[in-house]
Every structure is written in C-alpha cells, then in structure tokens.
Coordinates of all heavy atoms in Angstrom, one line a residue:
M24 N 23.2 22.1 7.9 CA 21.8 22.3 8.3 C 21.7 22.4 9.8 O 22.2 21.5 10.5 CB 20.9 21.1 7.8 CG 19.5 21.1 8.3 SD 18.7 19.6 7.9 CE 17.5 20.2 6.8
A25 N 21.1 23.4 10.3 CA 20.9 23.6 11.7 C 19.9 22.7 12.3 O 18.8 22.5 11.7 CB 20.6 25.0 12.0
Q26 N 20.2 22.0 13.4 CA 19.2 21.1 14.0 C 19.0 21.6 15.4 O 19.9 22.1 16.1 CB 19.7 19.7 14.0 CG 19.8 19.2 12.6 CD 20.4 17.8 12.5 OE1 20.7 17.2 13.6 NE2 20.4 17.2 11.4
A27 N 17.8 21.3 15.9 CA 17.5 21.7 17.3 C 18.3 20.7 18.3 O 18.3 19.5 18.0 CB 16.0 21.6 17.6
V28 N 18.8 21.3 19.3 CA 19.5 20.5 20.3 C 18.5 20.2 21.4 O 17.9 21.1 22.0 CB 20.7 21.3 20.9 CG1 21.4 20.5 22.0 CG2 21.7 21.6 19.8
R29 N 18.4 18.9 21.7 CA 17.5 18.5 22.8 C 18.3 18.4 24.1 O 19.4 17.8 24.1 CB 16.9 17.1 22.5 CG 15.9 17.1 21.4 CD 15.1 15.8 21.3 NE 16.1 14.7 21.3 CZ 15.7 13.4 21.5 NH1 14.5 13.1 21.6 NH2 16.6 12.5 21.4
T30 N 17.8 19.0 25.1 CA 18.5 18.8 26.4 C 17.7 17.8 27.2 O 16.5 17.8 27.3 CB 18.5 20.1 27.2 OG1 17.1 20.6 27.4 CG2 19.3 21.2 26.5
Q31 N 18.5 16.8 27.7 CA 17.9 15.7 28.5 C 18.2 16.0 29.9 O 19.3 16.2 30.4 CB 18.5 14.4 28.1 CG 18.2 14.1 26.6 CD 18.9 12.8 26.2 OE1 19.9 12.4 26.8 NE2 18.4 12.2 25.1
R32 N 17.1 16.1 30.7 CA 17.2 16.6 32.1 C 17.1 15.5 33.2 O 17.4 15.8 34.3 CB 16.1 17.6 32.3 CG 16.2 18.8 31.4 CD 15.3 19.9 31.7 NE 15.2 20.9 30.7 CZ 16.0 21.9 30.6 NH1 17.0 22.0 31.4 NH2 15.9 22.8 29.6
S33 N 16.7 14.3 32.9 CA 16.5 13.3 33.9 C 17.1 12.0 33.5 O 17.3 11.8 32.3 CB 15.1 13.2 34.3 OG 14.3 12.6 33.3
L34 N 17.2 11.1 34.4 CA 17.7 9.8 34.1 C 16.8 9.0 33.2 O 17.2 8.3 32.3 CB 18.0 9.0 35.4 CG 18.4 7.5 35.3 CD1 19.8 7.5 34.6 CD2 18.5 6.8 36.6
I35 N 15.5 9.2 33.4 CA 14.5 8.5 32.6 C 14.6 8.9 31.2 O 14.4 8.2 30.3 CB 13.1 8.7 33.2 CG1 13.0 8.0 34.6 CG2 12.0 8.1 32.3 CD1 13.3 6.6 34.7
S36 N 14.8 10.2 31.0 CA 14.9 10.7 29.6 C 16.2 10.2 28.9 O 16.2 10.0 27.7 CB 14.8 12.2 29.5 OG 15.9 12.8 30.2
L37 N 17.2 10.0 29.7 CA 18.4 9.4 29.1 C 18.2 7.9 28.8 O 18.7 7.4 27.8 CB 19.6 9.4 30.1 CG 20.2 10.8 30.4 CD1 21.2 10.8 31.5 CD2 20.8 11.3 29.1
L38 N 17.4 7.2 29.6 CA 17.1 5.8 29.3 C 16.1 5.7 28.1 O 16.2 4.7 27.4 CB 16.5 5.1 30.5 CG 17.5 5.0 31.7 CD1 16.8 4.3 32.8 CD2 18.7 4.2 31.3
N39 N 15.2 6.6 28.0 CA 14.2 6.6 26.9 C 14.6 7.5 25.8 O 13.8 8.4 25.4 CB 12.8 7.0 27.5 CG 12.3 6.0 28.5 OD1 12.6 4.8 28.5 ND2 11.5 6.5 29.4
S40 N 15.7 7.3 25.2 CA 16.3 8.2 24.2 C 15.5 8.1 22.9 O 15.7 9.0 22.0 CB 17.8 7.9 24.0 OG 17.9 6.6 23.6
D41 N 14.7 7.1 22.7 CA 14.0 6.9 21.5 C 12.6 7.6 21.5 O 11.8 7.6 20.6 CB 13.8 5.5 21.1 CG 13.1 4.6 22.1 OD1 12.8 5.1 23.2 OD2 12.8 3.5 21.8
G42 N 12.3 8.2 22.7 CA 11.0 8.9 22.8 C 9.9 8.1 23.3 O 8.8 8.6 23.5
E43 N 10.1 6.8 23.5 CA 9.0 5.9 23.9 C 9.3 5.5 25.4 O 10.4 5.4 25.8 CB 8.9 4.7 23.1 CG 8.6 5.0 21.6 CD 8.5 3.7 20.8 OE1 8.4 2.6 21.3 OE2 8.6 3.9 19.5
A44 N 8.2 5.2 26.1 CA 8.4 4.7 27.5 C 8.7 3.2 27.5 O 8.1 2.4 26.7 CB 7.1 4.9 28.3
H45 N 9.7 2.8 28.3 CA 10.1 1.4 28.5 C 10.1 1.1 30.0 O 11.2 1.0 30.6 CB 11.5 1.2 27.9 CG 11.6 1.6 26.5 ND1 11.0 0.8 25.4 CD2 12.2 2.6 25.9 CE1 11.3 1.4 24.3 NE2 12.0 2.5 24.5
P46 N 9.0 1.0 30.6 CA 9.0 0.8 32.1 C 9.7 -0.5 32.6 O 10.4 -0.5 33.6 CB 7.5 0.9 32.5 CG 6.8 0.5 31.2 CD 7.6 1.0 30.1
V47 N 9.5 -1.6 31.9 CA 10.1 -2.8 32.3 C 11.6 -2.8 32.1 O 12.3 -3.2 33.0 CB 9.5 -4.0 31.5 CG1 10.2 -5.3 31.9 CG2 8.0 -4.1 31.8
E48 N 12.0 -2.3 31.0 CA 13.5 -2.3 30.7 C 14.2 -1.3 31.7 O 15.3 -1.6 32.1 CB 13.7 -1.9 29.3 CG 13.3 -2.9 28.3 CD 11.8 -2.7 27.8 OE1 11.0 -2.0 28.5 OE2 11.4 -3.3 26.8
N49 N 13.5 -0.1 31.9 CA 14.1 0.8 32.8 C 14.2 0.3 34.2 O 15.2 0.5 35.0 CB 13.3 2.1 32.8 CG 13.4 2.9 31.5 OD1 14.3 2.6 30.7 ND2 12.5 3.8 31.3
T50 N 13.2 -0.4 34.7 CA 13.2 -1.0 36.0 C 14.3 -2.1 36.1 O 15.0 -2.1 37.2 CB 11.8 -1.6 36.3 OG1 10.8 -0.6 36.2 CG2 11.7 -2.2 37.7
L51 N 14.4 -2.9 35.1 CA 15.5 -3.9 35.2 C 16.9 -3.2 35.2 O 17.8 -3.7 35.9 CB 15.4 -4.8 34.0 CG 14.4 -5.9 34.1 CD1 14.3 -6.7 32.8 CD2 14.7 -6.9 35.2
A52 N 17.1 -2.1 34.5 CA 18.4 -1.4 34.5 C 18.6 -0.9 35.9 O 19.7 -1.0 36.5 CB 18.4 -0.3 33.5
I53 N 17.6 -0.2 36.5 CA 17.8 0.4 37.9 C 18.0 -0.7 38.9 O 18.9 -0.6 39.8 CB 16.6 1.2 38.2 CG1 16.4 2.3 37.2 CG2 16.7 1.8 39.6 CD1 17.2 3.5 37.3
V54 N 17.3 -1.8 38.8 CA 17.4 -2.9 39.8 C 18.8 -3.6 39.7 O 19.4 -3.9 40.7 CB 16.3 -3.9 39.6 CG1 16.6 -5.2 40.3 CG2 15.0 -3.4 40.1
T55 N 19.3 -3.7 38.4 CA 20.6 -4.3 38.2 C 21.7 -3.4 38.8 O 22.6 -3.9 39.4 CB 20.9 -4.5 36.7 OG1 19.8 -5.4 36.2 CG2 22.2 -5.2 36.5
I56 N 21.6 -2.1 38.6 CA 22.5 -1.2 39.2 C 22.5 -1.3 40.8 O 23.6 -1.3 41.4 CB 22.2 0.3 38.8 CG1 22.7 0.5 37.4 CG2 22.9 1.3 39.7 CD1 24.2 0.6 37.2
V57 N 21.3 -1.3 41.3 CA 21.2 -1.4 42.8 C 21.8 -2.7 43.3 O 22.6 -2.7 44.3 CB 19.8 -1.2 43.3 CG1 19.6 -1.5 44.7 CG2 19.3 0.2 43.0
L58 N 21.4 -3.8 42.7 CA 21.9 -5.1 43.1 C 23.4 -5.2 42.9 O 24.1 -5.8 43.8 CB 21.2 -6.2 42.4 CG 19.8 -6.5 42.7 CD1 19.2 -7.5 41.7 CD2 19.6 -6.9 44.1
G59 N 24.0 -4.7 41.8 CA 25.4 -4.7 41.6 C 26.1 -3.9 42.7 O 27.2 -4.3 43.1
A60 N 25.6 -2.7 43.1 CA 26.2 -1.9 44.1 C 26.2 -2.6 45.4 O 27.2 -2.6 46.2 CB 25.5 -0.6 44.2
I61 N 25.1 -3.3 45.8 CA 25.0 -4.0 47.0 C 26.0 -5.1 47.0 O 26.7 -5.4 48.0 CB 23.6 -4.5 47.3 CG1 22.6 -3.4 47.6 CG2 23.6 -5.5 48.5 CD1 21.2 -3.8 47.6
A62 N 26.1 -5.9 45.9 CA 27.0 -7.0 45.8 C 28.4 -6.6 45.9 O 29.3 -7.2 46.6 CB 26.8 -7.8 44.6
A63 N 28.8 -5.5 45.2 CA 30.2 -5.0 45.2 C 30.6 -4.5 46.6 O 31.7 -4.8 47.1 CB 30.3 -3.9 44.1
F64 N 29.7 -3.7 47.2 CA 30.1 -3.1 48.5 C 30.1 -4.0 49.6 O 30.7 -3.8 50.6 CB 29.3 -1.8 48.8 CG 29.6 -0.6 47.9 CD1 28.7 -0.1 47.1 CD2 30.9 -0.1 48.0 CE1 29.1 1.0 46.3 CE2 31.3 0.9 47.2 CZ 30.4 1.5 46.4
S65 N 29.3 -5.1 49.5 CA 29.2 -6.1 50.6 C 30.5 -7.0 50.6 O 30.7 -7.7 51.6 CB 27.9 -6.9 50.6 OG 27.9 -7.7 49.4
T66 N 31.3 -7.0 49.5 CA 32.5 -7.7 49.5 C 33.6 -7.1 50.4 O 34.6 -7.8 50.6 CB 33.0 -7.9 48.1 OG1 33.3 -6.6 47.5 CG2 32.1 -8.6 47.2
L67 N 33.4 -5.9 50.8 CA 34.4 -5.2 51.7 C 34.5 -6.0 53.0 O 35.5 -5.8 53.7 CB 34.0 -3.8 51.9 CG 34.1 -2.9 50.6 CD1 33.6 -1.5 50.9 CD2 35.5 -2.9 50.0
S68 N 33.4 -6.7 53.4 CA 33.5 -7.5 54.6 C 33.3 -8.9 54.3 O 32.3 -9.4 53.8 CB 32.3 -7.1 55.6 OG 32.3 -7.9 56.7
P69 N 34.4 -9.7 54.4 CA 34.3 -11.1 54.0 C 33.2 -11.9 54.8 O 32.8 -12.9 54.3 CB 35.7 -11.7 54.4 CG 36.6 -10.5 54.4 CD 35.7 -9.4 54.9
G70 N 32.8 -11.4 55.9 CA 31.7 -12.1 56.6 C 30.4 -12.0 55.9 O 29.4 -12.7 56.3
L71 N 30.2 -11.1 55.0 CA 29.0 -10.9 54.2 C 29.0 -11.7 52.9 O 28.3 -11.3 52.0 CB 28.7 -9.4 54.0 CG 28.5 -8.6 55.2 CD1 28.3 -7.1 54.8 CD2 27.2 -9.1 55.9
H72 N 29.8 -12.8 52.9 CA 29.9 -13.5 51.6 C 28.6 -14.1 51.1 O 28.3 -14.2 49.9 CB 31.0 -14.6 51.7 CG 30.6 -15.7 52.7 ND1 29.9 -16.8 52.3 CD2 31.0 -15.8 54.0 CE1 29.8 -17.5 53.4 NE2 30.4 -17.0 54.4
L73 N 27.7 -14.4 52.0 CA 26.4 -15.0 51.6 C 25.6 -13.9 50.9 O 25.0 -14.1 49.9 CB 25.6 -15.5 52.8 CG 26.1 -16.8 53.4 CD1 25.3 -17.1 54.7 CD2 26.0 -17.9 52.4
L74 N 25.6 -12.7 51.5 CA 24.9 -11.5 50.9 C 25.5 -11.2 49.5 O 24.7 -11.1 48.5 CB 24.9 -10.3 51.8 CG 24.3 -9.1 51.2 CD1 22.8 -9.2 51.2 CD2 24.6 -7.9 52.1
S75 N 26.8 -11.1 49.4 CA 27.4 -10.6 48.2 C 27.2 -11.7 47.1 O 27.0 -11.4 45.9 CB 28.8 -10.3 48.4 OG 29.6 -11.4 48.8
S76 N 27.3 -13.0 47.4 CA 27.2 -14.0 46.4 C 25.8 -14.1 45.9 O 25.5 -14.2 44.7 CB 27.8 -15.3 46.9 OG 27.1 -15.8 48.1
W77 N 24.8 -14.1 46.8 CA 23.4 -14.3 46.4 C 22.9 -13.0 45.7 O 22.2 -13.2 44.6 CB 22.5 -14.6 47.6 CG 22.6 -16.1 47.9 CD1 23.2 -16.6 49.0 CD2 22.0 -17.2 47.2 NE1 23.1 -18.0 48.9 CE2 22.4 -18.4 47.8 CE3 21.3 -17.3 46.0 CZ2 22.0 -19.6 47.4 CZ3 20.9 -18.5 45.5 CH2 21.3 -19.7 46.2
V78 N 23.2 -11.9 46.2 CA 22.7 -10.6 45.5 C 23.4 -10.5 44.2 O 22.8 -10.1 43.2 CB 23.0 -9.4 46.4 CG1 22.8 -8.1 45.7 CG2 22.1 -9.5 47.6
G79 N 24.7 -10.9 44.1 CA 25.4 -10.9 42.8 C 24.8 -11.8 41.8 O 24.7 -11.5 40.6
L80 N 24.4 -13.0 42.3 CA 23.8 -14.0 41.4 C 22.5 -13.4 40.8 O 22.2 -13.5 39.6 CB 23.6 -15.3 42.1 CG 23.1 -16.4 41.2 CD1 24.1 -16.8 40.1 CD2 22.9 -17.7 42.1
V81 N 21.7 -12.9 41.7 CA 20.4 -12.3 41.2 C 20.6 -11.1 40.3 O 19.9 -10.9 39.3 CB 19.5 -11.9 42.5 CG1 18.3 -11.1 42.0 CG2 19.1 -13.1 43.2
G82 N 21.7 -10.3 40.6 CA 22.0 -9.2 39.8 C 22.5 -9.6 38.4 O 22.1 -8.9 37.4
I83 N 23.2 -10.7 38.3 CA 23.6 -11.2 37.0 C 22.4 -11.6 36.2 O 22.3 -11.4 35.0 CB 24.6 -12.3 37.2 CG1 26.0 -11.8 37.7 CG2 24.9 -13.1 35.9 CD1 26.9 -12.9 38.2
G84 N 21.5 -12.3 36.9 CA 20.3 -12.8 36.2 C 19.4 -11.6 35.7 O 19.0 -11.6 34.5
T85 N 19.2 -10.6 36.5 CA 18.4 -9.5 36.1 C 19.1 -8.7 35.0 O 18.5 -8.2 34.0 CB 18.0 -8.5 37.2 OG1 19.2 -8.0 37.8 CG2 17.1 -9.2 38.2
G86 N 20.4 -8.6 35.1 CA 21.2 -7.9 34.1 C 21.2 -8.6 32.7 O 21.0 -7.9 31.7
L87 N 21.3 -9.9 32.8 CA 21.2 -10.6 31.5 C 19.9 -10.6 30.9 O 19.7 -10.4 29.6 CB 21.7 -12.1 31.7 CG 23.1 -12.3 32.0 CD1 23.4 -13.7 32.3 CD2 24.0 -11.8 30.9
W88 N 18.8 -10.7 31.7 CA 17.5 -10.6 31.1 C 17.2 -9.1 30.6 O 16.6 -9.0 29.5 CB 16.4 -10.9 32.2 CG 15.0 -10.9 31.6 CD1 14.1 -10.0 31.8 CD2 14.5 -11.9 30.6 NE1 13.0 -10.3 31.0 CE2 13.2 -11.4 30.3 CE3 15.0 -13.0 30.1 CZ2 12.4 -12.1 29.4 CZ3 14.2 -13.7 29.2 CH2 12.9 -13.3 28.9
G89 N 17.7 -8.1 31.3 CA 17.6 -6.8 30.8 C 18.3 -6.5 29.5 O 17.8 -5.8 28.6
Q90 N 19.5 -7.1 29.4 CA 20.2 -7.0 28.1 C 19.4 -7.7 27.0 O 19.4 -7.2 25.8 CB 21.6 -7.7 28.2 CG 22.6 -6.9 28.9 CD 23.1 -5.7 28.0 OE1 22.8 -5.6 26.8 NE2 23.8 -4.8 28.6
F91 N 18.7 -8.8 27.3 CA 18.0 -9.5 26.3 C 16.8 -8.7 25.8 O 16.5 -8.7 24.6 CB 17.5 -10.8 26.9 CG 16.7 -11.7 25.9 CD1 17.4 -12.3 24.9 CD2 15.4 -11.9 26.1 CE1 16.7 -13.1 24.0 CE2 14.7 -12.7 25.3 CZ 15.3 -13.3 24.2
I92 N 16.2 -7.9 26.6 CA 15.0 -7.1 26.2 C 15.2 -5.6 26.1 O 14.3 -4.9 25.8 CB 13.8 -7.4 27.1 CG1 14.0 -6.8 28.5 CG2 13.4 -8.9 27.2 CD1 12.8 -6.9 29.4
S93 N 16.4 -5.1 26.3 CA 16.7 -3.7 26.3 C 16.4 -3.1 24.9 O 16.5 -3.7 23.9 CB 18.1 -3.4 26.7 OG 19.0 -3.9 25.8
S94 N 16.1 -1.8 24.9 CA 15.7 -1.1 23.7 C 16.6 0.0 23.3 O 16.7 0.4 22.2 CB 14.3 -0.5 23.8 OG 13.4 -1.6 24.1
T95 N 17.2 0.7 24.3 CA 18.1 1.8 24.0 C 19.5 1.7 24.5 O 19.8 0.8 25.4 CB 17.5 3.1 24.7 OG1 17.5 3.0 26.1 CG2 16.0 3.3 24.2
T96 N 20.4 2.5 24.0 CA 21.8 2.5 24.4 C 21.9 2.8 25.9 O 22.8 2.3 26.6 CB 22.6 3.4 23.6 OG1 22.4 3.0 22.2 CG2 24.1 3.3 23.9
G97 N 21.1 3.8 26.4 CA 21.2 4.2 27.8 C 20.9 3.0 28.8 O 21.6 2.8 29.8
E98 N 19.9 2.2 28.4 CA 19.6 1.1 29.2 C 20.7 0.1 29.2 O 21.1 -0.5 30.2 CB 18.3 0.4 28.7 CG 17.1 1.2 28.8 CD 15.9 0.7 28.0 OE1 16.1 -0.2 27.2 OE2 14.8 1.3 28.1
R99 N 21.3 -0.2 28.0 CA 22.4 -1.2 27.9 C 23.6 -0.7 28.7 O 24.3 -1.5 29.3 CB 22.7 -1.4 26.4 CG 21.6 -2.1 25.7 CD 21.9 -2.4 24.2 NE 20.7 -2.8 23.6 CZ 20.1 -2.1 22.6 NH1 20.6 -1.0 22.2 NH2 19.0 -2.6 22.0
F100 N 23.9 0.6 28.7 CA 25.0 1.1 29.4 C 24.9 0.8 30.9 O 25.8 0.3 31.5 CB 25.1 2.6 29.1 CG 26.2 3.3 29.9 CD1 27.5 3.1 29.5 CD2 26.0 4.0 31.0 CE1 28.6 3.7 30.2 CE2 27.0 4.6 31.7 CZ 28.3 4.5 31.3
L101 N 23.7 1.2 31.5 CA 23.5 0.9 32.9 C 23.5 -0.6 33.2 O 24.0 -1.0 34.2 CB 22.2 1.5 33.3 CG 22.1 3.1 33.5 CD1 20.8 3.5 34.0 CD2 23.2 3.5 34.4
L102 N 23.0 -1.4 32.3 CA 22.9 -2.8 32.5 C 24.4 -3.4 32.5 O 24.7 -4.3 33.4 CB 22.1 -3.5 31.5 CG 20.6 -3.3 31.6 CD1 19.9 -3.7 30.4 CD2 20.1 -4.2 32.8
I103 N 25.2 -2.9 31.7 CA 26.6 -3.4 31.7 C 27.3 -3.0 32.9 O 28.1 -3.8 33.5 CB 27.3 -3.0 30.4 CG1 26.8 -3.7 29.2 CG2 28.8 -3.2 30.5 CD1 27.0 -5.2 29.2
I104 N 27.2 -1.8 33.4 CA 27.8 -1.3 34.6 C 27.3 -2.2 35.8 O 28.1 -2.7 36.6 CB 27.5 0.2 34.9 CG1 28.1 1.0 33.7 CG2 28.1 0.6 36.2 CD1 29.6 0.9 33.6
G105 N 26.0 -2.4 35.9 CA 25.4 -3.2 36.9 C 25.8 -4.7 36.9 O 26.1 -5.3 37.9
L106 N 25.9 -5.2 35.7 CA 26.3 -6.6 35.5 C 27.8 -6.7 35.9 O 28.1 -7.7 36.6 CB 26.2 -7.0 34.0 CG 25.0 -7.7 33.6 CD1 24.9 -7.8 32.1 CD2 25.0 -9.1 34.2
G107 N 28.6 -5.8 35.6 CA 30.0 -5.9 36.0 C 30.2 -5.9 37.6 O 30.9 -6.6 38.1
A108 N 29.4 -5.0 38.2 CA 29.5 -4.9 39.7 C 28.9 -6.1 40.3 O 29.4 -6.6 41.3 CB 28.7 -3.6 40.1
A109 N 27.8 -6.6 39.7 CA 27.2 -7.8 40.3 C 28.1 -9.0 40.1 O 28.2 -9.9 41.1 CB 25.8 -8.1 39.6
A110 N 28.7 -9.2 39.0 CA 29.7 -10.3 38.8 C 30.9 -10.2 39.7 O 31.3 -11.2 40.3 CB 30.1 -10.3 37.3
F111 N 31.4 -9.0 39.9 CA 32.5 -8.7 40.8 C 32.1 -9.2 42.2 O 32.8 -9.9 42.9 CB 32.9 -7.2 40.8 CG 33.9 -6.9 41.8 CD1 35.2 -7.2 41.6 CD2 33.6 -6.2 43.0 CE1 36.2 -6.8 42.5 CE2 34.5 -5.8 43.9 CZ 35.9 -6.2 43.6
G112 N 30.9 -8.8 42.7 CA 30.5 -9.1 44.0 C 30.2 -10.6 44.1 O 30.5 -11.3 45.1
F113 N 29.6 -11.2 43.1 CA 29.4 -12.7 43.1 C 30.7 -13.5 43.2 O 30.8 -14.4 44.0 CB 28.6 -13.0 41.8 CG 28.4 -14.5 41.6 CD1 27.6 -15.2 42.4 CD2 29.0 -15.2 40.6 CE1 27.3 -16.5 42.3 CE2 28.8 -16.5 40.4 CZ 28.0 -17.2 41.3
Y114 N 31.6 -13.1 42.4 CA 32.9 -13.9 42.4 C 33.7 -13.7 43.7 O 34.3 -14.7 44.2 CB 33.7 -13.6 41.1 CG 33.1 -14.0 39.9 CD1 33.0 -13.2 38.8 CD2 32.6 -15.3 39.7 CE1 32.4 -13.6 37.6 CE2 32.0 -15.7 38.6 CZ 31.9 -14.9 37.5 OH 31.3 -15.3 36.4
L115 N 33.7 -12.5 44.2 CA 34.4 -12.4 45.5 C 33.6 -13.0 46.6 O 34.2 -13.5 47.6 CB 34.6 -10.9 45.8 CG 35.9 -10.3 45.1 CD1 36.0 -8.8 45.5 CD2 37.1 -11.0 45.4
G116 N 32.3 -13.0 46.5 CA 31.5 -13.7 47.5 C 31.8 -15.2 47.5 O 31.9 -15.9 48.5
L117 N 32.0 -15.8 46.3 CA 32.3 -17.2 46.1 C 33.7 -17.4 46.7 O 33.9 -18.5 47.4 CB 32.3 -17.6 44.7 CG 30.9 -17.8 44.0 CD1 31.1 -18.2 42.6 CD2 30.0 -18.7 44.8
A118 N 34.6 -16.5 46.5 CA 36.0 -16.7 47.0 C 36.0 -16.6 48.5 O 36.9 -17.3 49.1 CB 36.9 -15.6 46.4
H119 N 35.1 -15.9 49.1 CA 35.1 -15.7 50.6 C 34.3 -16.8 51.3 O 34.4 -16.8 52.5 CB 34.6 -14.3 51.0 CG 35.5 -13.2 50.7 ND1 35.1 -12.0 50.5 CD2 36.9 -13.2 50.5 CE1 36.1 -11.2 50.2 NE2 37.2 -11.9 50.2
G120 N 33.6 -17.6 50.6 CA 32.9 -18.7 51.3 C 31.8 -19.3 50.5 O 31.2 -20.3 50.9
G121 N 31.4 -18.7 49.4 CA 30.4 -19.2 48.5 C 28.9 -19.0 48.9 O 28.6 -18.2 49.8
L122 N 28.1 -19.6 48.1 CA 26.6 -19.4 48.3 C 26.1 -20.1 49.6 O 25.1 -19.6 50.1 CB 25.9 -20.0 47.1 CG 26.1 -19.3 45.8 CD1 25.6 -20.1 44.6 CD2 25.5 -17.9 45.8
F123 N 26.7 -21.2 50.0 CA 26.2 -21.9 51.1 C 27.3 -22.1 52.2 O 27.2 -22.9 53.1 CB 25.7 -23.3 50.8 CG 24.6 -23.2 49.8 CD1 24.8 -23.6 48.5 CD2 23.4 -22.8 50.1 CE1 23.8 -23.5 47.5 CE2 22.3 -22.7 49.2 CZ 22.6 -23.1 47.9
G124 N 28.4 -21.4 52.1 CA 29.6 -21.6 52.9 C 29.3 -21.4 54.4 O 28.9 -20.3 54.8
G125 N 29.5 -22.5 55.2 CA 29.3 -22.4 56.6 C 27.8 -22.7 57.0 O 27.6 -23.0 58.2
V126 N 26.9 -22.6 56.1 CA 25.5 -22.8 56.4 C 25.1 -24.3 56.2 O 24.5 -24.9 57.0 CB 24.6 -21.9 55.6 CG1 23.1 -22.2 55.9 CG2 24.9 -20.4 55.9
I127 N 25.5 -24.8 55.1 CA 25.3 -26.2 54.7 C 26.6 -26.9 54.7 O 27.5 -26.5 53.9 CB 24.6 -26.4 53.4 CG1 23.2 -25.7 53.5 CG2 24.5 -27.8 53.0 CD1 22.4 -25.8 52.2
G128 N 26.8 -27.9 55.5 CA 28.0 -28.7 55.4 C 29.0 -28.3 56.3 O 29.8 -27.7 56.7

C-alpha cells in the first residue's frame, strides 16, 4: 500500500513527531543541549571548573526532568545527548576542583 511521505523541515517538527505541540518538553530538550555543550566545552580549561561543574549539575537536572515528562522520541534523543554532555562536564569539573574548589575552604 502506498503511503504519503512526510518531509520534516525543522527541528521543532522533528521534536513534535506526533503532530502535537510540546512547548515545555521542547524547551527542556533545547536547554539541556545548550547546558551540556557549555559544560563539556568549559572543561577544556581546568580553571573553569566552577562553571563546568555547576552548569553540568543544572544540565543533569533539566535533562532528567525532561526525560520524565518527554513525549516523543526526538525529545528523548536530544535529552540523552545533552545529559551525556552535561554529565561529562560535571564529572570533569569535579575532577578539576569541584563545585566549591578554592572558593570555600
């Protein structure tokens, strides 16, 4: 049986693959990707361990909450990528000095 092929043209249409709008879930997915990228790239400089550890921790929190309420596979895909990057940044930030390293104590 021939079926019509839908072409998806934007990131939002990839995230809303069920045809319904999910503004909260999409926002959490995008925020988790951005926080994960900041956390991962800030680990390139060990002096930015406060930034990478705190942003990574917040990224892990938003990613886990996004996974909890996500509706589509596209959202879950972006959330897992962002969670991995945020966790990577968080753990390397902890290795370079931690959440309070040098500020308290």
Side-chain angles (χ1 to χ4, degrees):
M24 173 190 243
Q26 295 179 356
V28 177
R29 291 189 310 170
T30 59
Q31 297 177 339
R32 301 188 190 275
S33 69
L34 177 64
I35 298 301
S36 66
L37 289 173
L38 294 178
N39 296 332
S40 60
D41 61 351
E43 298 178 18
H45 305 286
V47 175
E48 293 88 343
N49 294 344
T50 303
L51 282 173
I53 303 280
V54 167
T55 302
I56 284 286
V57 169
L58 290 174
I61 292 170
F64 286 120
S65 64
T66 59
L67 297 174
S68 174
L71 294 175
H72 63 87
L73 290 174
L74 177 70
S75 61
S76 58
W77 280 106
V78 170
L80 184 62
V81 172
I83 290 170
T85 59
L87 290 177
W88 184 255
Q90 281 288 350
F91 182 68
I92 66 171
S93 65
S94 301
T95 64
T96 304
E98 293 165 356
R99 292 183 191 113
F100 177 77
L101 286 182
L102 285 165
I103 289 297
I104 300 298
L106 266 168
F111 175 77
F113 174 68
Y114 292 132
L115 279 182
L117 288 181
H119 289 154
L122 293 169
F123 302 107
V126 177
I127 296 176

